[in-house]
Amino acid sequence: MSVLDKRRAGPRHPAGGETTPAADDTGPPDAKKTAAERPGTARRGLPLALNAVSVALGIALWWALASAGFKLPTPPEVVSRAGTLIEDGTLGEDVLASLTRVLIGFALGTAAAVPVGFLMGWYGIARGLMEPWIQFFRTVPPLAIIPLAVVVMGIDETPKIFVIFLAAFLACVISTFQGVVNVDRTLINAARVLGAKDAVIFARVVVPASTPFILVGMRVGLGSAWATLVAAELIAAQEGLGYRMQNAQLYYDLPTIFVGLISIGILGLLMDRILHLAERKLTGWQERR
């Protein structure tokens, strides 16, 4: 009998009979599937539980500091003020105004950053022409552009959206650029060997490989957009979370300030979670820890 035949024959029982299958392979399929899925379910539930514990500990620490004499409103005071602002419609109008500005500025900034980043990463001429200006404006805080924006664009919505656009654009364009230049050259060369043209390589290799960088840049740009919002709403705004917080500062209204801070944090967190979910869906091929 050849070696291959011996391997096919399989191990024998000492008495000459075939070995019996392992006991754990004869169980019902549903039971094995449930046992296999259980660790994954536990892993998904653990971060949520840790998040809940973290939030509870943060609120407890805040309450303890307020009770210890620090100049902070207590959580019940903030909840009461939030209820008042919701009832009279003030909070809803401020949230809508701020969210509209952030979404418009962020969408425009991202829409402009992605093609510019691709051009800089794919074409050396475009990189040489654009990179000095990108790096120059990266060192200038968007808030420093506010006086110029007011003089050039007036005091309506345009300068507010422009500084938010600039903050999102500068954060996203660098990530897109890095995504393109970090594409594995082996993948590009393999596509060329197979006869793919530049357009096909760009669409089938460069864009998918750059997607994780683009989405990370979008998340960073979203944070920059919200960080710029409060200062942007100082430009002759009559509504918005930033405007409400600045107005409350004049009257030392700490609960209203906390309502604005928490509202911005919650809105930013929800938008970031949406982008994170999109990242997981679009980059399911990527290995994760």
Side-chain angles (χ1 to χ4, degrees), residues 41-188:
T41 305
R43 284 195 298 268
R44 288 192 295 268
L46 181 59
L48 295 177
L50 292 176
N51 291 159
V53 171
S54 177
V55 171
L57 290 176
I59 294 175
L61 178 61
W62 168 21
W63 205 331
L65 292 175
S67 301
F70 286 86
K71 294 182 178 180
L72 298 173
T74 61
E77 292 175 343
V78 174
V79 171
S80 176
R81 181 56 53 86
T84 302
L85 294 175
I86 291 173
E87 288 178 1
D88 60 19
T90 301
L91 185 59
E93 294 175 357
D94 290 338
V95 167
L96 181 61
S98 295
L99 192 58
T100 301
R101 291 166 184 149
V102 168
L103 287 176
I104 294 176
F106 173 71
L108 293 176
T110 301
V114 172
V116 170
F118 275 131
L119 287 174
M120 290 175 56
W122 192 248
Y123 298 106
I125 296 177
R127 183 187 311 178
L129 292 173
M130 297 179 184
E131 189 172 15
W133 292 104
I134 297 295
Q135 298 299 335
F136 171 80
F137 281 105
R138 281 187 65 218
T139 61
V140 179
L143 303 184
I145 307 295
I146 291 178
L148 177 62
V150 172
V151 173
V152 175
M153 302 177 184
I155 59 174
D156 57 359
E157 291 295 308
T158 305
K160 304 179 187 63
I161 293 176
F162 174 74
V163 293
I164 296 174
F165 155 84
L166 191 61
F169 171 81
L170 293 174
C172 190
V173 70
I174 296 299
S175 294
T176 304
F177 165 70
Q178 287 299 128
V180 176
V181 299
N182 285 341
V183 174
D184 191 350
R185 297 296 304 181
T186 303
L187 299 177
I188 296 177

Side-chain angles (χ1 to χ4, degrees), residues 257-279:
I257 294 175
F258 266 68
V259 171
L261 288 173
I262 294 173
S263 299
I264 291 175
I266 292 175
L267 291 172
L269 178 62
L270 291 176
M271 294 176 67
D272 180 79
R273 292 298 90 187
I274 293 174
L275 286 178
H276 182 62
L277 180 61
E279 179 184 357

